[in-house]
Amino acid sequence: MKKFKGLGTLLLITILLLSLSIPVFAGGTSGSITMKNSEGNIKTDSLYSAYKIVGWNMSKVGSDVLYTDMVLTSKYKADIVTSLGAPLVATSSDADVLKAVAALNETDDAKKVAKLAVDLSSVVGVAEYTATAGVFTNLPYGYYLIMETANNASDGTVLSKPILVAVPDKKEGNPAVSVTVKTSTATVEKDIVIGDGANATNVKAAEKKIGDTVNYKLTATIPTYAANATGISYYITDTLSKGLTLTQGSVIVQDFKGVVIPVSGNYTETVTTNIDESTALKIDFIYDKIKDLGPLTITYSATLNQSAKVGSTGNPNSVTLTYSNNPGSGGSSYTTPPKHTIVYTTGIQLTKVDVNAKQTKLSGATFEIYKDHALSICLGTAVTDKDGIAYFPGLDAGTYWIKETIAPAGYDLLKDPIEVKIGVTLPKTVTNGNELAEWNTTTPGFANTGNLGIICGEVINTKGFQLPGTGGMGTTLFTVGGVILLGVAVGLLLIYRRKKKHA
């Protein structure tokens, strides 16, 4: 098969060389080129210029399409020789150059054709032909260099690479040629990483307590440009809300193989504080150093701090990618829509009241909160204010034990810690960073306060000669009964002593 293919190529080249001096009827003199996007629609949102590299006529021998009467545009000869290389040399004749061009197979020699297009684009002058609404019309038969000169698309596509197009096409000899423009875009994704190693999972929403570390991962693709494109910008901006503190020195950038890309000589890292006290992390890459390394993976960590929003409203974090879509001096850039993640935290609010008059709010009670039943690690302390409220903000889901360590003046300490269970339902999708979490509890006497997402409950205190307890009515009854029994016992003892004295 290869031998036959070689003989076919040799035959075509022989006919081509003969055609340089013998005119052959082509059946037509002009055609068209329609530029289409990947969906098959005419790409009307860009401007295109065309330059004729070789002029020719067209004939057919059986089913084979032959380009005849070929004429080379002289100003491109040197660059064709340099781009295609051996066996072409500087002293090669036009016939030799045309033979090399005619021998190019757009499938087998795709890389050569792509390189030739880029090399030729550096010597074009004023546009010879321009497309109207994505279509070139009345093009004399020939081999054309097509260049996208302006991209007005709003989808982030960059200027396409220069391409070479034959009119009529080489397969059917159709003078109405359609070309699918190979456009390039770039994207960035953002996740919160839960767990480590093989057990790690990526989520868009998570719940944490204040002081916890939040691990983030960004995944960014890299657009491709023509080899001679200059002035390319490519940078990521990650914005952390006020409740998140970036961990300095935690940023790690890796290539598609997982190899760490060092900062020096590859990118710069800048951290600034915005007016709303959010933090902006900008990673600005040197495109030429990372253009073949994508997709990139960027990881870093942050801490949920004391300024975190507590309740159903979370603490969002967003990322955008900005890159050149019209590179070069004075060119424009495109910024992707932001991608969001959210970290939520809740709180427990206690209201201290009198057992007999619940409208009486008790100040001065001190509570400690623990995450273990053994009460070994205290997470914090709170004292009830004038409204009887003690507040523990910045908690995640789980079970907590709250111990009263100082009772209000004249009241008894609670005998046992209060056990409070907290659950949460996180949003399944995060699209705008405003999604709400639903906190809940199964602890009697406690409830979620609606959209605020804080777990609230009353704590009842007893007053007077009371045994330690949680302040329930049953405890009061037992206490009163105990006092009565004690009085009866004292009375019987006095009667017994009087009888014994008079005996």
Side-chain angles (χ1 to χ4, degrees):
M1 180 61 72
K2 290 183 178 179
K3 289 182 178 179
F4 283 114
K5 184 176 180 182
L7 289 172
T9 301
L10 180 59
L11 174 62
L12 290 176
I13 292 173
T14 301
I15 295 173
L16 166 66
L17 292 176
L18 291 172
S19 72
L20 294 178
S21 58
I22 304 175
V24 179
F25 178 69
T29 59
S30 66
S32 64
I33 299 176
T34 301
M35 313 303 293
K36 294 186 176 182
N37 58 25
S38 57
E39 287 77 35
N41 300 316
I42 299 176
K43 199 171 187 304
T44 60
D45 49 16
S46 291
L47 302 179
Y48 297 94
S49 295
Y51 305 84
K52 189 167 66 173
I53 308 302
V54 177
W56 55 43
N57 286 324
M58 186 274 291
S59 291
K60 276 191 173 183
V61 177
S63 60
D64 292 326
V65 175
L66 302 178
Y67 297 129
T68 60
D69 304 317
M70 300 180 73
V71 178
L72 177 66
T73 303
S74 59
K75 69 175 180 179
Y76 298 113
K77 179 179 177 180
D79 287 272
I80 294 174
V81 170
T82 301
S83 182
L84 296 183
L88 296 179
V89 293
T91 57
S92 294
S93 66
D94 284 7
D96 291 334
V97 174
L98 288 170
K99 181 174 68 174
V101 172
L104 287 175
N105 184 297
E106 293 183 0
T107 301
D108 298 339
D109 300 312
K111 290 184 179 180
K112 285 185 178 181
V113 173
K115 181 178 183 299
L116 177 59
V118 171
D119 292 341
L120 292 175
S121 66
S122 64
V123 294
V124 296
V126 177
E128 299 171 16
Y129 306 91
T130 57
T132 301
V135 179
F136 294 95
T137 58
N138 298 318
L139 291 177
Y141 284 0
Y143 201 32
Y144 286 89
L145 173 69
I146 309 294
M147 295 182 63
E148 185 177 17
T149 57
N151 177 12
N152 300 316
S154 59
D155 58 359
T157 53
V158 304
L159 285 177
S160 60
K161 296 179 180 180
I163 53 178
L164 287 166
V165 182
V167 180
D169 68 55
K170 212 168 189 177
K171 184 176 182 181
E172 302 289 342
N174 187 349
V177 180
S178 292
V179 177
T180 299
V181 180
K182 295 181 179 180
T183 57
S184 176
T185 60
T187 60
V188 64
E189 294 294 337
K190 184 171 185 63
D191 294 289
I192 298 171
V193 181
I194 305 297
D196 299 311
N199 297 321
T201 57
N202 299 327
V203 298
K204 301 298 182 182
E207 44 92 16
K208 299 282 185 179
K209 65 179 181 294
I210 288 177
D212 281 352
T213 296
V214 186
N215 295 314
Y216 291 101
K217 182 177 78 171
L218 312 177
T219 305
T221 60
I222 302 174
T224 57
Y225 303 86
N228 60 343
T230 60
I232 299 172
S233 61
Y234 178 89
Y235 61 87
I236 288 170
T237 304
D238 193 288
T239 303
L240 298 87
S241 58
K242 183 179 178 181
L244 293 163
T245 301
L246 175 67
T247 303
Q248 296 298 321
S250 64
V251 175
I252 298 175
V253 180
Q254 295 172 290
D255 67 13
F256 69 98
K257 293 181 179 180
V259 177
V260 174
I261 301 173
V263 178
S264 179
N266 295 295
Y267 64 91
T268 58
E269 181 183 326
T270 307
V271 179
T272 56
T273 302
N274 299 321
I275 296 176
D276 62 357
E277 297 184 61
S278 62
T279 300
L281 166 65
K282 181 179 179 182
I283 305 174
D284 195 350
F285 291 90
I286 300 173
Y287 177 80
D288 285 343
K289 295 298 182 68
I290 53 92
K291 62 183 180 182
D292 298 321
L293 303 181
L296 302 176
T297 299
I298 302 165
T299 57
Y300 73 90
S301 63
T303 302
L304 192 66
N305 61 45
Q306 295 294 333
S307 297
K309 291 183 179 179
V310 177
S312 297
T313 301
N315 300 272
N317 172 243
S318 63
V319 66
T320 59
L321 170 64
T322 301
Y323 59 92
S324 299
N325 62 338
N326 285 292
S329 179
S332 61
S333 294
Y334 173 80
T335 299
T336 62
K339 297 297 180 67
H340 304 273
T341 59
I342 311 177
V343 178
Y344 300 90
T345 189
T346 188
I348 297 176
Q349 179 177 295
L350 307 176
T351 302
K352 194 76 166 173
V353 297
D354 183 272
V355 66
N356 296 312
K358 290 187 178 181
Q359 70 274 13
T360 301
K361 311 302 180 184
L362 305 177
S363 63
T366 301
F367 293 93
E368 293 177 347
I369 188 168
Y370 297 84
K371 195 69 185 284
D372 65 315
H373 186 266
L375 310 183
S376 61
I377 302 175
C378 180
L379 300 179
T381 302
V383 180
T384 56
D385 59 16
K386 62 182 180 61
D387 297 315
I389 294 175
Y391 182 42
F392 295 99
L395 306 176
D396 57 1
T399 302
Y400 295 86
W401 288 263
I402 302 173
K403 178 183 178 181
E404 186 178 36
T405 58
I406 300 176
Y411 288 81
D412 298 313
L413 284 173
L414 296 181
K415 179 181 178 182
D416 300 312
I418 305 167
E419 181 179 336
V420 181
K421 295 181 178 180
I422 300 176
V424 65
T425 301
L426 300 174
K428 293 181 179 180
T429 58
V430 174
T431 57
N432 55 31
N434 297 323
E435 291 78 4
L436 301 179
E438 297 180 8
W439 296 95
N440 58 78
T441 181
T442 57
T443 301
F446 284 79
N448 175 4
T449 57
N451 286 337
L452 293 179
I454 299 171
I455 306 302
C456 298
E458 286 187 341
V459 178
I460 300 172
N461 260 85
T462 56
K463 185 177 183 181
F465 302 101
Q466 308 297 331
L467 295 175
T470 60
M473 198 62 188
T475 303
T476 302
L477 292 175
F478 279 117
T479 302
V480 172
V483 172
I484 293 173
L485 289 174
L486 181 61
V488 172
V490 171
L492 290 173
L493 179 61
L494 291 175
I495 293 172
Y496 173 76
R497 286 180 175 177
R498 287 175 183 173
K499 287 183 177 181
K500 187 175 180 179
K501 184 177 181 180
H502 294 289

